[in-house]
Amino acid sequence: MNKQTNIDKLHKESTVNINGKITKGHEAKISIFDRGFLYGDSIYEVTFSQNGNLIFFDEHLERLFKSADFINLEMFITKDYIVEQTLLTLKQSKIPNAYVRIIVTRGETEISLDPNISFQNNLIIIVKPKPIHNPLYYTRGLNLYISTVQRNDTKATNPSAKSGNYLNNVMAIADAKKSGADDAIMVNKDGYITEGTTFNIWMIKEKQIITPPVSSGLLKGITRDKIITIAKKNALNIVQRPLTPDELLSADEVFISSSTKGIMPVNQINSVKYADQRLETNNLIKLYNQFLTEHISQSDKNYLE
Amino acid sequence: MNKQTNIDKLHKESTVNINGKITKGHEAKISIFDRGFLYGDSIYEVTFSQNGNLIFFDEHLERLFKSADFINLEMFITKDYIVEQTLLTLKQSKIPNAYVRIIVTRGETEISLDPNISFQNNLIIIVKPKPIHNPLYYTRGLNLYISTVQRNDTKATNPSAKSGNYLNNVMAIADAKKSGADDAIMVNKDGYITEGTTFNIWMIKEKQIITPPVSSGLLKGITRDKIITIAKKNALNIVQRPLTPDELLSADEVFISSSTKGIMPVNQINSVKYADQRLETNNLIKLYNQFLTEHISQSDKNYLE
């Protein structure tokens, strides 16, 4: 499929809600004066639905408001309004297994960086069929590359805020692709591992599960939180501590986590290939899938009913 | 004037060119799938015109293409096309003294960070009357604040690329406003002065003119370049070297430079007030204005003729 065909497909398959008005993708437009467009002055969340059930939606909304706090983006809309509009959009899309992206911008203002002049938000909800990830990423595993592009520092543009400033990650993935890898891992200014471009990173060494702490400069993943909960509930040995690239490269197993990808094994980082036997990773995938099934069975927000 | 009135005025006063189609501001809309909107994956330039003459337009276009190089944003449009469309928009606007913002995004793609899937740009040219800066900023001078928000690092999101990732600067100006100042200066991770949120910074000590080098992590300003040229031509003592906040606070005079603001004196940084007598700054303002007049007299691109 060529690139324009992919966009046409995206336009056709997507249902978009802009400030309460629902349209098809090709009509979904925003003012070029919107601060999200001019400065990346926005926050967002991505989640998905399964058979009409939104996954960990409360947690995503909570983090959306935390991102707003991080960048002092005043929310002129309520959580309830976002829930209502998201469910309305999903219902209208009729997609049972959907990708859901919620964007809140600091709205339209005069052309000025000063955020104090903001007095409204633009709320954009994108709903489209959940993309199917390359099955190779689950079987063979991901090939990753430790990018030379450093992660934004917590004191500059804090990665804990899921904002519209994603050029840092765009640059890192470009770097990884150039090296032939599927995606990138980024280090902070002190050389410690932070996260991938759109996922958290984990390693297993002598049965201990290790992931970098938020203080290393990363987004506190919802799936990351769930894995920690699951591991503790199952009395697994889990720890958050700063990780060097060398430690990561000498791990027994490595995997990544993300809301849309779930848990994916890592096959290779740079030129280091990990063992094909992934006892601990496979065990966590099993436990996570059980947890997800349980979550869905308890859901009271099926938008198809 | 209330905030909505300001936006209505902006819509009414502005003429916007999107990929060759010229509209009024209120109709200027872009797809929410544009990478500029989703990731701040764009570059831009701001210049202005005086009596129908674009100021240092070649230099701005050159820097636009340099920003593209910095973030590996492939340009599918030529410099000539941008010139043609900018002049067309200005002509149609009939504004003799205009603010001109040129934005080039990595276009619309599938929802994926990978920039390699980009195959087109979106070109947006915004033309509106040149805003009149608070006259107090030229008479009293600016009150600035050294922000606790650090400047993005050159190894993460390089400030030398004028991109759509401006949250770092938005946060810094918010910080400055909270302290009662007009605007912010930012330091790098090593504690050295970089630049203001939308301007370069300069100090004078014992008649020596000092500004931080690009390696401190800043945008290579067009006006900054011109001041260096002018100073050298006039045998003034000028040097680029890393500056600490302490040095800046102990300066004899401080001023800022930007394309739209020109040279503005600084009245105060944090709690330090500078002397009202600004011999060197005033001399540079005089020389810069002469240089600007000369540039305009040599212009061959008057769009009103």
Side-chain angles (χ1 to χ4, degrees), chain A residues 3-4 6-7 10-11 14 16 18 25 28-41 70-71 99 101 103 105-106 108-111 113-120 124 126 128 149-153 155-157 163-171 173-174 177 189 197-198, chain B residues 3-4 6-7 10-11 14 16 18 25 28-41 70-71 99 101 103 105-106 108-111 113-120 124 126 128 149-153 155-157 163-171 173-174 177 189 197-198:
Chain A
K3 289 162 174 178
Q4 183 57 52
N6 283 343
I7 295 177
L10 172 65
H11 285 181
S14 60
V16 181
I18 303 181
K29 293 185 172 183
I30 187 118
S31 169
I32 54 108
F33 297 111
D34 178 82
R35 298 178 65 102
F37 179 67
L38 292 178
Y39 319 124
D41 197 358
F70 269 116
I71 67 165
Y99 163 103
R101 190 183 190 100
I103 305 165
T105 81
R106 217 184 301 254
E108 213 178 321
T109 63
E110 287 177 85
I111 299 186
L113 289 184
D114 185 2
N116 297 304
I117 57 175
S118 160
F119 63 102
Q120 58 190 357
I124 294 96
I126 305 174
K128 63 178 187 104
V149 178
Q150 257 176 31
R151 191 73 182 106
N152 280 336
D153 194 72
K155 287 177 189 156
T157 305
S163 82
N165 272 223
Y166 253 61
L167 201 44
N168 188 218
N169 313 47
V170 168
M171 298 295 293
I173 202 169
K177 293 273 177 187
K189 68 171 193 296
T197 60
T198 54
Chain B
K3 289 163 175 178
Q4 184 57 51
N6 283 341
I7 295 178
L10 173 66
H11 284 182
S14 59
V16 181
I18 303 181
K29 293 186 173 182
I30 187 120
S31 168
I32 53 110
F33 296 111
D34 178 82
R35 296 176 67 100
F37 179 67
L38 292 178
Y39 318 124
D41 196 0
F70 269 118
I71 67 165
Y99 163 103
R101 189 182 190 101
I103 306 165
T105 81
R106 215 182 303 253
E108 213 178 321
T109 63
E110 287 177 86
I111 299 186
L113 289 183
D114 185 2
N116 297 304
I117 57 174
S118 160
F119 64 102
Q120 58 188 357
I124 294 96
I126 306 174
K128 63 179 189 108
V149 178
Q150 258 176 28
R151 191 72 181 107
N152 280 336
D153 194 73
K155 287 178 190 153
T157 306
S163 81
N165 272 225
Y166 253 60
L167 201 44
N168 188 219
N169 314 46
V170 168
M171 298 296 293
I173 202 169
K177 292 274 177 185
K189 69 170 190 296
T197 58
T198 53

Side-chain angles (χ1 to χ4, degrees), chain A residues 14 25 44 61 64 82 85 94 100 133 150 152 164 178 186 193-194 217 290 297:
Chain A
S14 60
Y44 79 102
L61 282 178
L64 183 76
I82 300 176
Q85 293 300 320
K94 298 196 181 78
V100 182
H133 297 288
Q150 257 176 31
N152 280 336
K178 216 186 295 172
M186 304 170 83
I193 298 291
T194 61
Q290 281 170 2
S297 72

Side-chain angles (χ1 to χ4, degrees), chain A residues 219-231:
Chain A
L219 183 74
K220 201 166 170 286
I222 308 287
T223 310
R224 180 181 178 278
D225 278 354
K226 298 305 176 193
I227 292 171
I228 293 170
T229 304
I230 293 165

